[in-house]
Amino acid sequence: MTVTLTDTRWRQIPVVNITSFNRCHSRLIKMNMYSLPSQGIPGCPPGLEYLTQVDQLLIKQKVELVEALVGFESNNKYEVRNSMGQNVFYAVEENDCLNRQCCGPLRPFTIHIIDNFGQEMITVSRPLKCMSCCFPGCLQELEVQSPPGNTVGYVIQQWHPFSPKFIVANEHMEPVLKIHGPFCGWSFLPDVDFDILTIDEVSKIGKISKQWSGLMREIFSDSDNFGIQFPMDLDVRIKAVMIGACFLIDFMFFESTN
């Protein structure tokens, strides 16, 4: 049926400006895009999607003024940044005063890693254990969960009389990678590197570096800066475990005793 302009049925329909309609439709699409949650990635724990896009991170410990002035050990706080210096996560230690003051760097801890929206993405837990290179039974370990309650991996110290060595394991305690540090955990160079190796120790695929933070900060506080480098295609769960490994290395070798 042909409809003419004189048809009374069409006179009741308002005229729509096509340009305005397209502009409004475009805005609605953008609003819907930003309001919908990002689609999950298969095999990636919720909240860790961003780690699939990075091959390095900077972990910067925040300076505590009270700790620097009077030597009162406080809960550690860290900022996790990307290569452009943008904050992607925040990490906060949960501990009590007795553990901090009496156990010092040997203390057990739980570190909560949250995103920029305040959601906890990763939980890092270290039990209380003695630390001595002379006794193979006094070895450190650490568990990483993401999301909280779901274990994604472990960092387990290997006994060696002189050099720090660790195994990075998956949620089933199956070794995936190894971490080897310098003699007694220190170096003559400003940066101290802990190499990330394949399980057969043939190839180096990354490193955890303790970076020099300046003379005054090094002397008057235990505030440390670390860099983590790993392959872009590394399992995102193991990337989360590497963040936990960085915290364990910090407490074992660079957290000064007041």
Side-chain angles (χ1 to χ4, degrees):
M1 181 179 64
T2 303
V3 180
T4 63
L5 292 177
T6 57
D7 196 318
T8 57
R9 291 175 299 173
W10 288 90
R11 293 176 184 176
Q12 300 176 359
I13 301 177
V15 178
V16 178
N17 185 287
I18 298 301
T19 303
S20 300
F21 174 79
N22 289 338
R23 188 181 299 117
C24 181
H25 184 260
S26 177
R27 291 176 181 173
L28 286 173
I29 292 176
K30 290 182 180 180
M31 289 175 62
N32 289 336
M33 179 182 67
Y34 290 121
S35 63
L36 290 175
S38 59
Q39 297 296 320
I41 300 176
C44 177
L48 297 188
E49 291 84 1
Y50 180 78
L51 291 183
T52 62
Q53 310 171 33
V54 297
D55 59 0
Q56 55 183 313
L57 292 169
L58 173 65
I59 297 182
K60 185 179 181 65
Q61 185 174 354
K62 299 182 68 175
V63 178
E64 298 293 339
L65 182 60
V66 174
E67 184 175 345
L69 294 178
V70 302
F72 185 86
E73 185 72 26
S74 59
N75 282 327
N76 287 357
K77 301 178 181 64
Y78 305 85
E79 295 175 347
V80 182
R81 303 177 178 178
N82 59 20
S83 58
M84 296 181 289
Q86 300 167 325
N87 288 342
V88 294
F89 297 116
Y90 296 89
V92 181
E93 176 191 359
E94 178 188 353
N95 227 321
D96 57 53
C97 181
L98 185 63
N99 274 333
R100 294 197 307 269
Q101 307 311 316
C102 297
C103 300
L106 295 176
R107 65 185 182 266
F109 61 73
T110 298
I111 293 180
H112 305 279
I113 302 176
I114 60 177
D115 63 12
N116 290 325
F117 301 99
Q119 298 296 318
E120 185 172 354
M121 301 289 101
I122 306 171
T123 303
V124 179
S125 301
R126 175 203 191 186
L128 177 62
K129 288 193 174 184
C130 296
M131 187 167 63
S132 174
C133 63
C134 300
F135 300 98
C138 299
L139 299 177
Q140 299 296 303
E141 64 180 49
L142 177 142
E143 179 184 359
V144 179
Q145 299 179 352
S146 180
N150 178 54
T151 301
V152 295
Y154 300 87
V155 181
I156 306 166
Q157 183 186 10
Q158 289 184 293
W159 184 82
H160 192 278
F162 306 114
S163 300
K165 295 179 182 291
F166 302 90
I167 289 177
V168 178
N170 61 18
E171 67 272 24
H172 304 297
M173 279 283 188
E174 299 168 342
V176 177
L177 296 171
K178 291 186 177 182
I179 300 175
H180 288 183
F183 177 78
C184 292
W186 62 277
S187 171
F188 292 105
L189 300 175
D191 293 349
V192 184
D193 292 339
F194 291 74
D195 294 333
I196 303 173
L197 309 172
T198 54
I199 198 63
D200 56 8
E201 302 183 14
V202 172
S203 301
K204 174 183 173 181
I205 65 169
K207 64 181 180 179
I208 298 175
S209 300
K210 161 64 170 68
Q211 301 172 347
W212 176 256
S213 57
L215 181 62
M216 299 301 289
R217 287 169 65 105
E218 295 284 347
I219 293 177
F220 292 105
S221 75
D222 55 10
S223 176
D224 301 314
N225 296 331
F226 288 87
I228 309 177
Q229 298 179 20
F230 38 58
M232 182 75 75
D233 60 352
L234 184 65
D235 188 326
V236 68
R237 293 166 294 187
I238 301 302
K239 289 183 180 182
V241 176
M242 286 298 172
I243 297 176
C246 183
F247 293 138
L248 181 60
I249 289 172
D250 181 26
F251 273 81
M252 288 182 63
F253 303 104
F254 305 107
E255 183 84 357
S256 61
T257 304
N258 293 324

